[in-house]
Amino acid sequence: MADRTKTGVRAAIEDLMNVAVHGDASGLDRVYHKDMQILMLDISGGLARFDKPGFMDLMASSVKDTNPNDHKWARFNAVEANGNQGHVLITRRVLIGDARKVLELSIDLIFEEDRWQITREVIFARPDSDPIS
């Protein structure tokens, strides 16, 4: 049985990052809840909404032909677990196309089918002028 604590929530997000940087569609399908929703806000106020299939397509295209190490930097700001509910605040630094971005993410998870699954991500994307390290 999977861990329902903060450790388990963090492990689910680390799993997400690992499968995402490799464009692993079956891994993303496992981590993302069937009813997952994504809200992405950019620095100019543009809002994009995605469902699970749309975001999986975006993830696959954003890492295609890239170095996985350009997408692995992360700082966990908060990790919470309360019964079947989990939440993570995380800062990511990634390479999207030719541009480095800082992503501030608020991620909601639910423990269902004996694993943590992501139900919602709220993402704020801004330019990153510092090298990824």
Side-chain angles (χ1 to χ4, degrees):
M1 184 162 165
D3 186 346
R4 290 188 191 215
T5 67
K6 292 179 186 181
T7 303
V9 170
R10 183 177 173 131
I13 299 302
E14 289 171 344
D15 183 33
L16 166 65
M17 289 186 296
N18 186 52
V19 298
V21 301
H22 292 98
D24 178 353
S26 65
L28 289 172
D29 187 52
R30 179 184 75 254
V31 175
Y32 287 146
H33 190 271
K34 65 182 181 202
D35 297 323
M36 181 192 76
Q37 294 295 307
I38 302 289
L39 299 170
M40 186 180 301
L41 184 65
D42 65 30
I43 197 149
S44 64
L47 178 65
R49 294 176 183 263
F50 299 93
D51 60 6
K52 180 178 178 174
F55 198 67
M56 286 178 60
D57 289 345
L58 178 68
M59 294 291 294
S61 67
S62 71
V63 299
K64 185 178 180 182
D65 301 324
T66 66
N67 180 344
N69 291 328
D70 289 336
H71 304 276
K72 289 187 176 181
W73 191 95
R75 179 181 64 229
F76 284 84
N77 302 302
V79 179
E80 300 174 358
N82 184 5
N84 289 338
Q85 303 292 316
H87 185 254
V88 172
L89 288 175
I90 188 170
T91 302
R92 302 278 319 276
R93 294 171 75 194
V94 298
L95 186 63
I96 300 176
D98 291 333
R100 296 184 194 284
K101 299 280 185 185
V102 172
L103 306 178
E104 306 287 352
L105 299 98
S106 174
I107 304 173
D108 293 319
L109 301 95
I110 189 167
F111 193 87
E112 248 180 37
E113 299 176 3
D114 201 32
R115 69 186 189 278
W116 286 106
Q117 298 177 57
I118 295 167
T119 57
R120 178 178 29 223
E121 289 186 26
V122 178
I123 306 166
F124 175 67
R126 61 182 166 85
D128 181 12
S129 59
D130 296 329
I132 294 178
S133 56

